[in-house]
Amino acid sequence: MAEVEIVEKVLGNGLKIIAERNLDAKSAAIGFFVKTGSRDETQSESGISHFLEHMMFKGTEKRSALDITYELGNLAVKANAYTSDEATVYYGAVLPEYFSRYQELLSDMLKPALDPKEFDMEKKVILEEIALYKDRPSYCLFEKAFRSYFNGHPSGNSVLGSVESVSAITRDDMLNYYKRRYSPSNMVLIAAGNFDLDRFMHDAERLCGGWKSFETERKVEPYEGKEESLEFTKSDIQQAHIMILTGGPSQQDPHRYAFGVFSNIVGDVTGSRYYWALVNSGIAESADSEVDEKDGTGCFISYACCPPDNIDKVSGILNEILDSPLQFTDKDMERAKAKIATRMVLGGELPMGRMRALGHEWLAREKVHNLHSEVEAIMAVSRKDIESALSAYPLTKRSEYRLLPA
Amino acid sequence: MPETIKITTLSNGLTVIVEEARWAESASYALIVPSGLLFDPEQNIGASMIVAELTSRGAGGLSAQELSNALDSLGARHTVGCGLFYTTYRGSLLGDRLEDALAITASMATEADLPGPEIDGIKALLEQEINSMYDTPSRRVMHELSIRYYPGVFARPSLGDKEGIRQTSIDTIRKIYRNFYVPEKSILSISGKVSADSIIKKVEALFGGWKGSAPNYPIPGEFPPRDVFHVSYDSTQLQIAVAFPSAALEDEDYYSARVLNGVLSGGMFGRLFVEVREKRGLCYSVNSSCSANGYYGVHTAYAGTTTERAQETLDVMMEIFKTISGTITEEELERSKANIKASLVMSEESTQSRAISNATDWWWISRIRTLEEIKAKIEEVDLKMTDNYAQKLAATEPMVVTLGEKELKLK
């Protein structure tokens, strides 16, 4: 693997900067990772983090919305942004010759004008996005299940919000949210790939050093989970969907490596216990699991999609596997570790992959992501580690949600 | 051809393409076999998909689980998929483990057991995939477009046909494996941290004994007349899908078509996005794409929008197609070209995309277009060429399919 150089720094206003340069790369990626998402919204603000993410593309003091659109095009940036319950991320990959101009543009975008006309126009786009997701069965189930499972805990907040909540958001609401969450001390700027390291650090100071810092606060409360069974319906669908939620490790929990290996053994898309019990035989179209590590809490998701007639059988098998979590051999465990490690290395070959890993690692744990030590941590997981992770999260308190044709 | 790419054809007809990428830790492979939906018996459309999946359910003395475990132990990310024209085995893993993964892939493609008891499970799986596609309006509308747009066997549904899958017998499956899993016309493309000379020797040992001649591929006949169709569906949004004929891979217009598509729908700056979403806020998702193979190319456009705003969305989209000729600016042209070139350079960073694009180039045009060649061709495209192409597009009637609660009118 190529030699990489890593530089990190904190500006006077608290903006953390991490740059990882790899001269073998053909492109470079930049990202601003803001530690804010739907979990940081009040009830009346539901959907505002995601709406604001859209507004970052809609003009600044210096640039109109179309100026931004065309400039991103002129610099041939593969640009995008996303919002989750935990974070809002603005990023793009460019060829090295356009890097500095993109850095300037992206930094400017983070100071949005929130023009009222653009605000009204973009609200329509968001309402269309909500309509789009309403037509996706798996999204419908996720949204309903999380809200119910988290029972008022902010981790159950919807990222998109509802038609009603988004319709009611005003420009002032958004400005207040921005002023409460977008402090430079609440974000990290990442660069990865092939770029001029000195110039990047210098420009970061020049472009972002003047941003005013203020206190931001995130309420972090653990959540113990709950036990319930709910059934929802949707018209015009042919497949049924089922989701089981249990407690899982948080972003900060040292059990997360072992739990990640466990999740791969149980529910990787192929070659897992769920796969062999459900998908290989055609009982379900898909069946997999995922650890959703959040700030201060977490959950373990099991998900399957199957014909409506099979739903009880699928539920029975998923629950049976969750009842016997330690039923795996050492070979099963070693395979899971090999799969995870390869995915990490492959993802790390692209500047965009490195940028994401560095950004999320910092937001979650204030550490600089090191690919080799992360791979080592996965490879070091033993059966004993998994046993101890499972005694912390015993999978006994489960909630089950189903979506069936109306 | 750059020194980093080596192409060898074995005596049985299998072409081996190896691209060395010294910067990489990974290696990726793609094995293309000439078994596709277009060869399926009329009453069993989807049979070749059963075959593809069944090859991974037992081969070379290993059971389904043993095969899967062997690949997983190598840390390989692997899939097998069957499309209209061919079946592809693909995988990525650390370069030093590639040979072992190739050995497993070779056994699936050349000496699969095709165990009968596995078939029912696979059929159930494929049927569910079709149901899920029907449950996702944005996918369903593209399916409805494609089965109406292409001629004859080229219009076969990409997930097969439920009844055809259900009726497929083990004999049909064995026949497909015998006739279409053959080395002639097959391509094994490798890219990444490998040594070409040693990997080619290994490939000869693994695939050298494989025998069989390739099938004759049909040539597409006349395309069906293009019209407007509506499919009723209970959904929040109305889906709009549009198709126009475009240039095939070796047509002189091919690169002009790509540049024009960038003007229409590159990144967030294309006219469709700017006019439909940015200026009017009519929808979240709107885009167009242009794809091509050795026979034909197609421009497709898609938008999903709430029912009451759908007619305006369609009107604006059609207006853009009709009026683009004569109005393209130098800035739009340069932006489109710069973005295509950037995408090309970035694709070089992924061994997976290199392995696939080398394989498909060889499949369709029996040579590999280097990135330099494609970049130079894009560079050559000027305003006049793009505009000539735009004129052709504007003069062509599109195929339009809408899916949702209300029928739309084409002005």
Side-chain angles (χ1 to χ4, degrees), chain B residues 35-77:
Chain B
S35 171
L37 287 163
L38 52 68
F39 292 117
D40 284 347
E42 190 60 46
Q43 68 280 12
N44 294 126
I45 297 170
S48 51
M49 304 177 86
I50 306 178
V51 182
E53 180 59 31
L54 194 59
T55 62
S56 67
R57 302 287 179 101
L62 300 181
S63 69
Q65 196 148 1
E66 286 166 343
L67 282 170
S68 163
N69 288 352
L71 283 166
D72 285 350
S73 302
L74 299 169
R77 298 172 66 175

Side-chain angles (χ1 to χ4, degrees), chain A residues 1-2 24-27 54 57-58 65-66 69-70 72-74 76-80 93-95 98 118 121-122 124-125 128-129 131-132 134-137 235-239 241 270-271 275-276 279-285 305-307 310 335 338-339 342-343 345-346 349-351, chain B residues 23-26 53 57 64-65 68-69 72-75 77-78 92-94 97 118 121 124-125 128-129 131-132 134-138 162 233-237 239 268-269 274 277-285 302 304-306 309 331 335 338-339 342-343 345-346 348-351:
Chain A
M1 187 172 269
D24 273 354
K26 295 181 193 302
S27 67
H54 278 232
F57 290 80
K58 307 305 283 184
L66 276 181
T69 299
Y70 291 141
L72 286 170
N74 293 341
V77 187
K78 306 292 156 209
N80 215 329
V94 278
L95 298 186
Y98 297 128
E118 296 290 354
M121 184 65 80
E122 201 56 24
K124 293 187 198 168
V125 173
E128 286 294 339
E129 191 176 355
L132 169 108
K134 260 192 192 156
D135 285 338
R136 296 195 180 164
S235 65
D236 238 348
I237 59 169
Q238 301 179 56
Q239 287 282 90
H241 299 253
T270 60
Y275 175 83
W276 293 112
V279 183
N280 186 67
S281 51
I283 299 171
E285 180 195 354
C305 172
C306 64
N310 289 359
R335 275 199 308 278
K339 285 198 272 185
T342 308
R343 278 169 212 176
V345 173
L346 291 181
E349 284 187 347
L350 303 176
Chain B
W23 49 266
E25 286 279 297
S26 69
E53 180 59 31
R57 302 287 179 101
Q65 196 148 1
S68 163
N69 288 352
D72 285 350
S73 302
L74 299 169
R77 298 172 66 175
H78 55 95
S92 295
L93 70 174
L94 298 182
R97 301 175 188 168
E118 296 274 344
L125 213 53
Q128 292 181 59
E129 280 177 18
N131 288 342
S132 279
Y134 272 79
D135 287 351
T136 316
S138 56
K162 269 199 228 176
Y233 189 79
D234 180 8
S235 56
T236 320
Q237 284 195 320
Q239 312 291 319
M268 289 176 228
F269 59 82
V274 168
R277 177 169 154 172
E278 297 258 286
K279 290 193 182 163
R280 294 179 178 80
L282 285 169
C283 55
Y284 173 72
S285 230
Y302 164 81
T305 177
T306 38
R309 314 169 80 192
E331 290 75 37
R335 216 177 275 140
N339 277 269
S343 299
V345 174
M346 289 183 203
E348 259 188 293
E349 293 178 321
S350 154
T351 59

Side-chain angles (χ1 to χ4, degrees), chain A residues 8-156:
Chain A
E8 50 176 318
K9 187 179 177 179
V10 183
L11 299 187
N13 58 11
L15 178 69
K16 173 75 185 180
I17 302 169
I18 305 171
E20 182 182 281
R21 187 182 60 172
N22 172 359
L23 290 176
D24 273 354
K26 295 181 193 302
S27 67
I30 317 181
F32 278 98
F33 290 70
V34 190
K35 193 170 183 167
T36 195
S38 57
R39 64 170 296 153
D40 303 298
E41 297 168 353
T42 62
Q43 219 169 5
S44 66
E45 286 173 336
S46 179
I48 205 167
S49 310
H50 170 253
F51 190 175
L52 174 59
E53 173 228 296
H54 278 232
M55 288 305 296
M56 295 291 184
F57 290 80
K58 307 305 283 184
T60 66
E61 252 178 51
K62 285 199 271 183
R63 292 172 165 96
S64 71
L66 276 181
D67 288 342
I68 292 176
T69 299
Y70 291 141
E71 203 169 330
L72 286 170
N74 293 341
L75 301 178
V77 187
K78 306 292 156 209
N80 215 329
Y82 56 87
T83 306
S84 69
D85 52 337
E86 295 287 334
T88 311
V89 182
Y90 305 86
Y91 68 97
V94 278
L95 298 186
E97 59 263 40
Y98 297 128
F99 181 87
S100 294
R101 285 164 65 192
Y102 176 49
Q103 186 185 355
E104 191 275 322
L105 170 61
L106 188 60
S107 305
D108 187 39
M109 283 167 61
L110 272 267
K111 297 275 140 193
L114 304 183
D115 175 83
K117 266 193 195 147
E118 296 290 354
F119 182 89
D120 292 341
M121 184 65 80
E122 201 56 24
K123 193 182 265 190
K124 293 187 198 168
V125 173
I126 306 275
L127 294 175
E128 286 294 339
E129 191 176 355
I130 293 173
L132 169 108
Y133 279 99
K134 260 192 192 156
D135 285 338
R136 296 195 180 164
S138 56
Y139 175 82
C140 289
L141 181 59
F142 262 87
E143 178 96 345
K144 290 186 166 101
F146 267 72
R147 189 180 313 132
S148 180
Y149 177 78
F150 278 101
N151 201 21
H153 184 279
S155 288

Side-chain angles (χ1 to χ4, degrees), chain B residues 139-179:
Chain B
R139 290 175 64 201
R140 165 107 188 253
V141 74
M142 296 317 281
H143 158 80
E144 300 286 350
L145 178 74
S146 135
I147 57 172
R148 288 172 173 83
Y149 179 80
Y150 294 103
V153 294
F154 297 86
R156 289 185 165 183
S158 65
L159 295 177
D161 161 81
K162 269 199 228 176
E163 197 48 36
I165 288 169
R166 239 177 258 152
Q167 300 299 334
T168 302
S169 69
I170 184 73
D171 288 344
T172 303
I173 286 169
R174 294 208 173 110
K175 206 168 150 193
I176 290 174
Y177 191 71
R178 211 166 42 237
N179 293 341

